[in-house]
Each structure stands twice: as structure tokens, then as C-alpha cells.
Amino acid sequence: MEIISNIIKAAIEVGSKIKKHDSPVEAQKETLKELLQKSKETAFGKYYGFEHILKSKNLSNEFSREVPYHDYDDMEFWWKKSWEGKADICWPDKVDNFAVSSGTTGHSKHIPVTDDMLESIRNAGIRQVLSLSNFKDLPESFFTKQILMLGSSTDLNQVKGHFEGEISGISASNIPNWFRNFYKPGEQISSIDDWDERVEAIAKEAKNWDIGSISGIPSWIELMLKRVMDYHNVDSIHDIWPNLAVYTSGGVALDPYKKSFEKLFSKPVQYIDTYLASEGYLATQTRPDTDAMQLICDNGIYFEFVPFEEGSVLESGKVNPDKKAVDISQVEEEKEYILLISTVSGAWRYMIGDTIKFTDVSRSEIKITGRTKFFLNVVGSQLSVNKMDDAIESLNENFRLNIKEFTVSAVKENGEHIHHWYLGLEEVKGDIKNEDIKIHLDNHLKNSNKNYKVARDKALKDVKVSLISAEKFLEWNDANKHKGGQVKMAKVMKEEDFREWQEFVED
């Protein structure tokens, strides 16, 4: 087994040094050309003149001039035809899989997942594995251990001749044959639809596996690990899986959960962040000395970036068409951008809903800073999620808390607008005063955001803080039948949705 381990690691080290392009800029130029070339005969490609765009000397400029920005409602006009079984709409051939993306509120979205996208996701996964050669502290034996992936059920729904499910379930149901020996919990357990039953099955089988890494949303991974430990009556997950060395997260902030995970681990575990959305695998952390993620620029996804500033997003939630997007050759470090993608699933200049910033342009490394719809600006406060996250981190440091989840809304009380926060603590202590938390939170936001400070002096009359158990957030997701899926509760809620949440919490 040691010989096999050394061979695998050597292959990873060689593979990680292979570069398809000299730079992200060249990679993106080639990616855009390939996307346009392959889809020029589709209905979308003909409508927007891809053949004409391909004749241009500057593809990116012509592409941005001829094709408008799209959000889900815009793309749904086209994707619905694919959902009905028609071929060659936004991408060649028929679409066999649709990722059902469901937030805590609103109707479900159906995102096409083409065969080319599944290949892109597999390639990104391999890229992430190859990058492990940069994490020098991993033991040789790690590279032959099993990988536990906890996502949504692989028992997909068949509708109108295609399959539907969450992206994690679709990806897991299409893993390559060579990976099946490494993949846990395996096909049978992964297909269990009920999340509690699936976790119970994992707990029963846990001692038969030799897990080296786990991946999934932090809240669900934490619950799963606790259940495995309780089932086997142990104090650490390493009593069950002594070779566990890597945890791969994605989609939510990991820092609030690290304290909780440390209580479950008795050995060092390397945290690695990834950016897997329903629309594709966009980025992954590739080195240990940063928690930023590297955009995967040569894998079927073309990126554009709209500066995230006043007026960039219309009241409708759409990107302002008067705001010009830039490509990866024009971005600046530490500047916030609205992310747009064009992909091998037939998304075109698509507003994925995230805002990002570049921490290292030369390496194309980014951090997710928030969501365009999670931007609290009802009374001009211009409050983005990254500012909120910073404020929560400050609360954790100054009050020795462990706030794992939060949500906030601008609501009216007695005819005046206030911000009402619900902070989900791992442990709600009796000696913590809501008023102290409120004052610190309010002052931190005033000092870090001048628009918020102005709003507090005018239309935003007060701030209210409610401290609750983080378990309530999990119960809310469970009640809305999101358990085990790749879902996140909204950090910013509309007032009508917030009132529903309030009733749930206070019930």
C-alpha cells in the first residue's frame, strides 16, 4: 500500500505542474472562443450572432457589445425550452440533467447541467486533488484514503425525459468509475432521500471506512460527525477515522464553524475552500498560505466582472446595463465585482448572484464577499454581506462568542425602519446582554461603512438584536425540506420573509 501511495502522490506532483496556458488571461481568451465556436449553431447563438462575433478581432469586446447581461428570469426563457426536451437551445444537444436550486424562499430554479458541464466539474475536482501536492504536511498515506462527500441525495427525480436534483447529487451520481473505490458513503447510502436516515446509515458503516478527507456544507458535516461519534461513543472523530486530514468546504463562511470542528478533531485537519455552484465549479483553494480560491480559467467557464458600486444593481435586482463589465485582464485587487459567467451549460453573461474581490490578480485568486440580493439598502445603508461578516467576527472576538449563523432584515416598527438581527450562537449564555451586543455591532458598522453611518443618523432609527441558538437555523432549513442539500439560509431577508422566520423562531 505504501508503494501505491507514493506512486499516486508522485503523479499528483507531476500533474500539478502541468499548465494548459501561460496565464489566466490567455486561458480566458481561449475559453470564450471555444464557447462561442461550439454554440454558434444553437438557437441562442444564432439569435445573438455568435458567428459574426467570432469574426471580430477582439472577441471579448464584441461579445459584451452584442450579448446583454442575463439573470435567471432572462435565461429561463431559453432554458425552459431545454427543460421541455428541445435540443440545441443554449448549448448543443439535449440537456439530460437540471440542477434544482432552492433557497429558503421563492420558487425553485432549474439550471441546465450538460454533459460538458459534468466533465468540467470532474476536471475541477481533479484540479483540486492535484493542488494537494502544495499542502506539504499531508502524509504519504493520505493519497490512498477514502473521500466522504456529504451532499444531497443521488436518487434524482425523472421529469420529462431528464433528471433533476441538487448539483451535489447530480455530480455524485456521475462520478467516474475509477473514483468509486475511493468515494464514500457509496451509491446505496447516497441514494437515501431522507437526510436523517442517510446519516444513520453513515454512522453504522463508519468504522468500516478509512476516511482521509470529507466535503460538504459545514453545518451538515458537523451534525454528521456528531452523530457518528455518538453512535460509536467516542470523544473524537479521529477515534473512528484516524487518517482524516482534509476538510473541503464550499458555499458558506467556514470560520464560524472552525471552533466547533476543533472540538470534534484530535488531530490537525487542513481546511480547503471551494466554489461549487449550481452553475458550475468556479474556483478552488490551491495553496495553504491563503484561504482565497483560484478561479479555474481554462475549464469551460468564461468570467466577467462588473464593478460593485452605487447604481450597479437596479431595484429589480438586475445588473445595470449601463455599467460596463471587464474581463480578467482588467480587474484590480481588493475591488468588489459582480460576477458574470458564460458556461458549457449554456449560461450567457449570467449574473450568478455573488460579489467577489481579487486578493491576487496574478494568481487569479478571489474571495466571495457577498450576494447581490443580500445587500441591505432599504434606507440607503449600502450594507454588504462582507461588512456584516466583519462585524460578526468582531463580536466573536470581543465577547468570546461563537456566532455560527445570522440573518438580518430592514423592518418597520412603529412606522420607523430598523435593522433586526438574529444571531445564532453555539451556546446562548445568560450573562450576555443584548444591549451590549447591539451597541458594539452598531458602532462597528458605523465605523466601517460611511453610508450606514449616514443612514443611522437619518432614516434607520434603531437596531435590534435577538440572540438564539444556532440550532434554530438548522431547524428552519429542515422545516423547509432543505436538509442535506447544498443550501444556505439567506443572511438578508425581505421583510415579508423575515416575519415568517420570526414566527418560526418565537413559536
Side-chain angles (χ1 to χ4, degrees):
M1 202 65 173
E2 185 177 349
I3 294 174
I4 295 174
S5 176
N6 288 333
I7 291 173
I8 291 174
K9 188 171 184 184
I12 287 174
E13 287 176 344
V14 171
S16 66
K17 295 173 184 175
I18 297 173
K19 292 184 178 179
K20 191 174 178 182
H21 297 86
D22 292 332
S23 73
V25 174
E26 292 305 312
Q28 283 284 273
K29 285 181 180 178
E30 186 64 27
T31 296
L32 177 58
K33 183 177 179 181
E34 290 173 354
L35 289 170
L36 294 171
Q37 186 68 40
K38 190 158 185 177
S39 55
K40 65 183 180 181
E41 297 299 325
T42 65
F44 191 96
K46 290 177 180 178
Y47 185 84
Y48 284 106
F50 283 7
E51 182 119 35
H52 165 74
I53 294 173
L54 282 162
K55 295 175 183 177
S56 172
K57 292 182 179 179
N58 191 320
L59 279 187
S60 61
N61 280 356
E62 191 68 15
F63 177 61
S64 63
R65 184 162 39 243
E66 295 295 332
V67 182
Y69 300 143
H70 291 84
D71 63 4
Y72 178 77
D73 290 338
D74 300 322
M75 287 306 310
E76 187 181 30
F77 169 82
W78 299 90
W79 288 345
K80 189 175 181 180
K81 302 177 192 301
S82 297
W83 185 85
E84 291 170 347
K86 295 182 175 66
D88 304 321
I89 303 300
C90 292
W91 195 252
D93 300 324
K94 290 180 66 175
V95 180
D96 293 328
N97 296 280
F98 281 81
V100 180
S101 173
S102 52
T104 54
T105 60
H107 70 283
S108 295
K109 298 178 180 179
H110 291 76
I111 313 292
V113 182
T114 62
D115 291 343
D116 286 327
M117 177 55 75
L118 287 171
E119 182 180 358
S120 171
I121 291 171
R122 285 194 290 268
N123 290 341
I126 292 171
R127 189 80 56 90
Q128 192 258 315
V129 172
L130 290 176
S131 71
L132 292 174
S133 63
N134 298 325
F135 297 82
K136 302 301 183 184
D137 292 336
L138 295 177
E140 300 282 344
S141 60
F142 168 80
F143 297 95
T144 58
K145 303 307 176 187
Q146 295 163 329
I147 300 173
L148 175 60
M149 299 165 59
L150 184 64
S152 56
S153 172
T154 58
D155 185 18
L156 307 177
N157 297 320
Q158 191 165 4
V159 182
K160 291 183 177 290
H162 63 259
F163 292 96
E164 295 183 359
E166 291 188 21
I167 189 63
S168 59
I170 294 173
S171 300
S173 64
N174 286 275
I175 60 173
N177 289 330
W178 64 266
F179 185 65
R180 296 185 188 276
N181 289 334
F182 294 91
Y183 165 64
K184 294 297 175 188
E187 294 179 58
Q188 185 173 352
I189 295 177
S190 294
S191 65
I192 298 174
D193 191 52
D194 183 88
W195 192 84
D196 292 310
E197 290 180 18
R198 200 182 331 149
V199 169
E200 195 68 15
I202 289 171
K204 290 177 181 177
E205 290 294 324
K207 278 205 168 182
N208 299 323
W209 302 335
D210 190 3
I211 302 298
S213 68
I214 52 177
S215 66
I217 286 179
S219 55
W220 305 121
I221 291 294
E222 182 185 5
L223 286 177
M224 181 271 294
L225 294 178
K226 285 180 176 179
R227 179 59 194 134
V228 171
M229 290 165 56
D230 288 344
Y231 186 91
H232 294 281
N233 194 27
V234 296
D235 296 323
S236 164
I237 195 61
H238 283 105
D239 293 331
I240 305 295
W241 298 323
N243 294 304
L244 177 60
V246 170
Y247 168 44
T248 303
S249 179
V252 295
L254 179 58
D255 284 344
Y257 283 88
K258 286 183 178 178
K259 289 181 181 178
S260 300
F261 281 129
E262 286 166 7
K263 296 176 182 178
L264 309 179
F265 301 152
S266 57
K267 295 181 181 180
V269 171
Q270 174 67 54
Y271 298 100
I272 296 177
D273 211 354
T274 62
Y275 190 179
L276 172 61
S278 296
E279 295 83 358
Y281 198 148
L282 309 184
T284 186
Q285 182 183 344
T286 60
R287 54 195 182 100
D289 45 346
T290 179
D291 57 357
M293 298 173 289
Q294 186 176 65
L295 286 175
I296 306 174
C297 294
D298 56 358
N299 193 35
I301 300 176
Y302 177 69
F303 302 101
E304 294 177 271
F305 314 91
V306 179
F308 188 41
E309 55 198 19
E310 188 172 356
S312 296
V313 180
L314 303 175
E315 286 188 12
S316 64
K318 296 178 182 291
V319 180
N320 187 340
D322 295 331
K323 297 292 183 179
K324 181 176 172 56
V326 298
D327 62 27
I328 203 164
S329 69
Q330 302 165 291
V331 294
E332 302 173 28
E333 289 181 7
E334 299 302 322
K335 185 174 182 177
E336 271 196 286
Y337 295 96
I338 301 165
L339 182 62
L340 305 176
I341 58 173
S342 300
T343 78
V344 290
S345 266
W348 295 104
R349 307 200 79 203
Y350 180 74
M351 177 186 179
I352 196 171
D354 290 328
T355 58
I356 61 100
K357 70 176 180 180
F358 280 83
T359 58
D360 189 322
V361 168
S362 64
R363 289 188 170 100
S364 64
E365 287 180 340
I366 65 162
K367 287 187 176 182
I368 301 171
T369 58
R371 297 279 291 171
T372 52
K373 67 178 180 180
F374 296 168
F375 185 65
L376 199 54
N377 193 31
V378 173
V379 288
S381 58
Q382 292 280 323
L383 198 55
S384 60
V385 167
N386 65 316
K387 294 294 185 185
M388 300 179 200
D389 285 336
D390 289 345
I392 297 300
E393 185 177 345
S394 178
L395 287 174
N396 282 333
E397 290 176 358
N398 285 273
F399 292 87
R400 296 184 179 180
L401 301 175
N402 188 10
I403 301 169
K404 296 164 69 174
E405 303 281 356
F406 72 85
T407 191
V408 59
S409 182
V411 298
K412 272 193 172 183
E413 288 194 0
N414 300 319
E416 302 282 2
H417 274 108
I418 71 165
H419 280 181
H420 189 166
W421 295 72
Y422 276 89
L423 307 181
L425 281 67
E426 182 177 35
E427 180 183 0
V428 182
K429 300 176 182 178
D431 59 342
I432 300 174
K433 296 181 180 179
N434 286 38
E435 187 66 18
D436 294 340
I437 299 291
K438 165 194 162 178
I439 291 171
H440 184 93
L441 177 66
D442 194 30
N443 287 338
H444 182 96
L445 292 173
K446 286 177 183 177
N447 292 332
S448 65
N449 187 324
K450 63 181 181 181
N451 291 303
Y452 177 84
K453 187 176 186 302
V454 170
R456 284 290 286 118
D457 290 336
K458 295 182 178 179
L460 185 59
K461 295 302 181 183
D462 200 4
V463 174
K464 185 176 180 179
V465 171
S466 298
L467 304 179
I468 62 173
S469 169
E471 293 291 326
K472 274 291 180 183
F473 289 80
L474 300 178
E475 292 171 10
W476 168 262
N477 283 346
D478 188 21
N480 286 274
K481 303 187 186 303
H482 296 321
K483 210 167 191 180
Q486 303 295 307
V487 211
K488 306 174 283 273
M489 181 172 177
K491 290 188 175 182
V492 176
M493 285 190 180
K494 295 179 180 178
E495 183 169 3
E496 58 268 29
D497 301 326
F498 188 79
R499 296 301 186 192
E500 184 180 343
W501 156 255
Q502 252 183 325
E503 289 178 11
F504 176 84
V505 172
E506 296 171 5
D507 186 13

